[in-house]
Amino acid sequence: MSYLDELNQSQRAAVENIYGPTMVIAGAGSGKTRVLTYRIAYMMEQGIDPYNILALTFTNKAAKEMQERIAKIGASGAMGYYGASEAKHLTMGTFHSVFSRVLRFNAERIGYPINFTIYDTQDSKSLLKDIIKELKLDDKVYKPSMVLNRISAAKNNLISADEYLANDEILAEDRMARRPELARIFKAYSERCFKAGAMDFDDLLYKMYVLLRDFPDVLGYYQQKFQYILVDEYQDTNFAQYTIVKMLAAAYENICVVGDDAQSIYSFRGANIQNIFNFKVDYPDFKLFKLEQNYRSTKNIVDAANSVIARNVDQIKKEVWTENGEGQLLNVIRTLTDNEEGKQIVNRLYDIKTQEGAEYSDFAILYRTNKQSRSFEEALRKMNIPYKIYGGISFYQRKEIKDLLAYFRLTSNHRDEEAFKRVINYPKRGIGKTTIETIVIASTNYGIPIWDLITNFQQYPVQINNSARLKIEEFATMIKSFAAQLDKLNAYELGQHIAKSSGILKELYDEKEKGPEEVERYQNIEALIGGLKEFTDSKEEVDEFASLSEFMLDVALLTDADTTDADDKNYVSLMTIHSSKGLEFPHVFLVGLEENLFPSQMALQSRTETEEERRLFYVAVTRAMKSCTLSYAATRFQWGSVTSSESSRFIDEIDAKFLHHEAPQRGQGRSLSSGMSVGRGFGGTGNGLNKSLNTPTPSPHSISQRNLKPLSSAGDGDKSTTTEYKVGYNVLHERFGKGKITKLEGQGPDKKATIFFPHHGAKTLLLRFANLTVVEE
DNA sequence: GGAGCTTCAATTTTT
DNA sequence: TTGAAGCTCC
């Protein structure tokens, strides 16, 4: 019983209330994971069979952590009859991975092959691009990423392509937005995925719903199996996830959801914060537990975060507090350039490390967008500080890895269209773009999978030349020969065989001479094969056959954060705020706090969007245990030119008594007199010394009003980004010089102007990027 | 069919 | 600045 004594009163109450609908609102740092894991341990101790427990998380990382912590409690002998070894019967994982397993098990019910492929975002976009082209639509109007977002939103709201096509309201909406063909694209996309035996990320949710909806016996089976359901990060569930959980829980209503409305940051992916607010409607007799004591951060950090989040209208009232000491104030650092920001933050980091004898792993640098990592990487490298960047391109998304995986995919699912397109001519075997296009279109016209076409040219004649046809047939024969080995060779043997016979290994080996990047590619392939070996060994240890198909099951669902850590964990972590959720660090640097970057300019359209950015800020600050440093740069170098920016509103929103504005360092504080070219003259000031040469310093905000871009500063206090432009205005463009606006079109961020420049002719430019200055005649 | 060059456009977060 | 797409020439 001892482990229960480690809990405070509300935590313990939440742990012990294992029957009936339960909602736990867990403030940042309040021991949420502890409650979840102890609850599961407690259930098992009470005699509940782990086989009947389902725990759903959003990330593999969270699932893994829970698994480990439960095993630890089990090892302490606290779980009674169902000990640690039984814990492996728990069903625990991300929505996507748990559902994908259920779907494979029941695949034939909904017409899919057991070894269906999971398309990642890249695959989906590539397929959409093809479809848009085949439908002869303008890919400027129908951008694959935009179309995918739209389709994704539909599926997350459980709307199928056919329902979309039949819904007048949606169709009218699309017509209004001048994208009337979206429905047709959606329909074609669904058909093509189905034909290819492929599901995209959203299908894993949508098809799960269809399975439970259309097959009562399946629903009944899983209701009986999952008598106890736990959902982590409930605030991030979308409508599809919400509905599925509700269906599964309907028989027993032993459902426990844990979340924090203040940390809902995934609405762009369809997450609906209302699911938390509606819990009481769905389960009127639910029990609510609030975890409000923060064990993580200093008082200053907790209170600073609270002072910001208090500005949100949408929230559940709660009081996060801490018994921890006051700690230091939050430092605010302003620098002139993004490179300078990198240097100063890293210097600061090094200072803290030396002063406190901290480890590198005690530090995290958090930013809004992945691309911001660059300046910090450079600075860290220069100082020889070990670091690791999370997110960005994951191992499994690297070109060479995807190429080899495409062979694996094609081997276990011949119909996989995206895998086919990827490797039919890689390594080069003389099958050109025209040929591939012809085949893809022909297969659509015949209404059959590409594979069926290329293995039955007699039955389905296609207009391609003979040599190409022979080469394609050769390719198909090769894939078939791989498939024939699926049951005979283990994943490692077959994987290696494919890497060799496909020619990929040789191709990459030959390119190794070219440079370090090519060497890395080759090493990545070796690493993947190493992964196959590891997988095979671990299976064979328990006397199971390790098939390549099985290895492929989860690969599409793995992300960078899931690749196992190197032995040496002592490095500084760099990541987006999104991926920092659920983590904590003694020292946090929250960088790039500038208007239009954070909050992102994409998120300023509405109150709800701005509130989400504010929650994101809240998440970031509450990652910090001991110290939190905020920084922003007055200018930023992006896509070839320098832009200036103002400090983020979120800095102003923190109650000033928790802040300490750092005195500018050397080279800082010179105000940018108007007319001076920003961005030149500052880059080269660093000569290794950090102090001296203090010039008079303006207050942190004084620069912004005088900046060089009329477009982005519309006067005191007004942080809007739009300046009024009218047809007939004379404007100045950086490159094209003076011109006259002849036409305006588009709305919001898409607003474009056609401008006639005497020396360059008429140009149509996105106002957002054009960087125009209105000038007098 | 494919390599190499030129042009053009581009900003978020991730399972 | 980066990356993708289009175009030219072998």
Side-chain angles (χ1 to χ4, degrees), chain A residues 44 50 70-71 73-75 77-88:
Chain A
M44 288 166 66
I70 289 171
I73 305 171
M79 292 189 305
Y81 173 74
Y82 291 108
S85 65
E86 299 298 314
K88 66 169 187 284

Side-chain angles (χ1 to χ4, degrees), chain A residues 161-186:
Chain A
D162 286 323
E163 286 160 347
Y164 194 103
L165 269 164
N167 188 318
D168 291 334
E169 216 174 298
I170 297 177
L171 295 180
E173 211 176 279
D174 281 347
R175 270 195 303 275
M176 290 281 286
R178 299 184 177 278
R179 290 162 183 37
E181 304 297 339
L182 270 171
R184 262 173 77 209
I185 303 175
F186 186 5

Side-chain angles (χ1 to χ4, degrees), chain A residues 276-290:
Chain A
I276 280 205
F277 303 134
N278 286 340
F279 195 77
K280 61 168 172 281
V281 180
D282 294 327
Y283 308 99
D285 57 342
F286 81 115
K287 290 242 168 45
L288 174 67
F289 301 89
K290 284 189 190 177

Side-chain angles (χ1 to χ4, degrees), chain A residues 566-634:
Chain A
D567 311 325
D568 180 19
K569 284 193 176 177
N570 196 15
Y571 45 70
V572 175
S573 297
L574 278 71
M575 65 183 87
T576 63
I577 302 165
H578 279 88
S579 40
S580 77
K581 193 159 76 148
L583 304 177
E584 59 182 24
F585 299 90
H587 305 285
V588 165
F589 295 93
L590 179 51
V591 303
L593 287 170
E594 292 138 42
E595 282 295 296
N596 298 327
L597 182 57
F598 189 22
S600 158
Q601 70 171 278
M602 313 296 285
L604 295 173
Q605 313 291 346
S606 65
R607 192 204 79 210
T608 52
E609 284 177 311
T610 312
E611 291 202 350
E612 175 144 323
E613 294 285 303
R614 190 173 287 117
R615 292 193 292 269
L616 194 54
F617 183 78
Y618 176 81
V619 168
V621 172
T622 53
R623 296 311 94 198
M625 299 160 80
K626 286 180 171 166
S627 86
C628 182
T629 306
L630 313 174
S631 76
Y632 62 100

Side-chain angles (χ1 to χ4, degrees), chain A residues 245-478:
Chain A
V245 167
K246 197 170 152 192
M247 287 166 100
L248 289 173
Y252 289 89
E253 294 206 343
N254 292 321
I255 174 172
C256 170
V257 305
V258 181
D260 179 6
D261 56 298
Q263 296 184 62
S264 163
I265 54 175
Y266 282 107
S267 73
F268 70 94
R269 238 169 57 195
N272 189 352
I273 199 170
Q274 294 303 323
N275 290 345
I276 280 205
F277 303 134
N278 286 340
F279 195 77
K280 61 168 172 281
V281 180
D282 294 327
Y283 308 99
D285 57 342
F286 81 115
K287 290 242 168 45
L288 174 67
F289 301 89
K290 284 189 190 177
L291 310 181
E292 295 175 307
Q293 181 175 1
N294 175 303
Y295 293 95
R296 178 184 295 154
S297 318
T298 65
K299 238 187 211 86
N300 277 328
I301 291 169
V302 169
D303 292 342
N306 282 344
S307 72
V308 175
I309 201 69
R311 294 176 186 254
N312 274 6
V313 177
D314 289 330
Q315 59 178 318
I316 294 176
K317 273 244 147 40
K318 66 176 156 324
E319 200 115 340
V320 179
W321 57 279
T322 184
E323 279 178 356
N324 293 341
E326 213 150 89
Q328 330 156 4
L329 297 176
L330 284 71
N331 252 317
V332 182
I333 297 179
R334 170 184 176 281
T335 64
L336 277 180
T337 67
D338 48 349
N339 281 330
E340 194 62 31
E341 185 186 32
K343 280 188 219 158
Q344 287 200 31
I345 291 296
V346 173
N347 279 339
R348 164 52 62 104
L349 186 155
Y350 192 76
D351 286 348
I352 299 179
K353 179 183 181 316
T354 344
Q355 278 162 24
E356 305 212 349
E359 298 290 332
Y360 285 127
S361 54
D362 292 341
F363 296 90
I365 300 176
L366 308 182
Y367 34 76
R368 179 68 177 81
T369 67
N370 275 309
K371 66 171 184 240
Q372 288 168 255
S373 65
R374 211 209 70 248
S375 63
F376 301 97
E377 268 181 272
E378 271 171 26
L380 287 161
R381 236 191 325 243
K382 266 188 202 138
M383 305 257 312
N384 257 328
I385 295 176
Y387 64 90
K388 177 171 173 176
I389 299 181
Y390 292 79
I393 293 192
S394 96
F395 179 74
Y396 294 99
Q397 285 165 3
R398 289 170 181 282
K399 183 189 174 311
E400 63 276 15
I401 297 299
K402 282 209 76 170
D403 289 338
L404 183 50
L405 289 178
Y407 276 100
F408 295 175
R409 277 163 57 172
L410 214 45
T411 300
S412 72
N413 171 20
H414 297 333
R415 285 155 51 187
D416 186 332
E417 193 179 311
E418 292 309 305
F420 172 85
K421 285 192 304 196
R422 208 175 169 94
V423 294
I424 175 69
N425 196 35
Y426 180 82
K428 304 231 149 52
R429 34 179 86 83
I431 302 167
K433 241 176 31 192
T434 339
T435 310
I436 298 168
E437 220 164 82
T438 315
I439 288 177
V440 172
I441 291 172
S443 81
T444 309
N445 292 341
Y446 283 122
I448 55 167
I450 293 178
W451 180 261
D452 296 12
L453 183 84
I454 64 168
T455 49
N456 286 296
F457 279 126
Q458 290 92 331
Q459 201 182 337
Y460 305 106
V462 178
Q463 283 296 324
I464 51 172
N465 68 46
N466 242 349
S467 77
R469 207 194 67 209
L470 281 173
K471 286 173 192 153
I472 291 170
E473 282 172 338
E474 236 168 74
F475 175 78
T477 309
M478 177 175 73

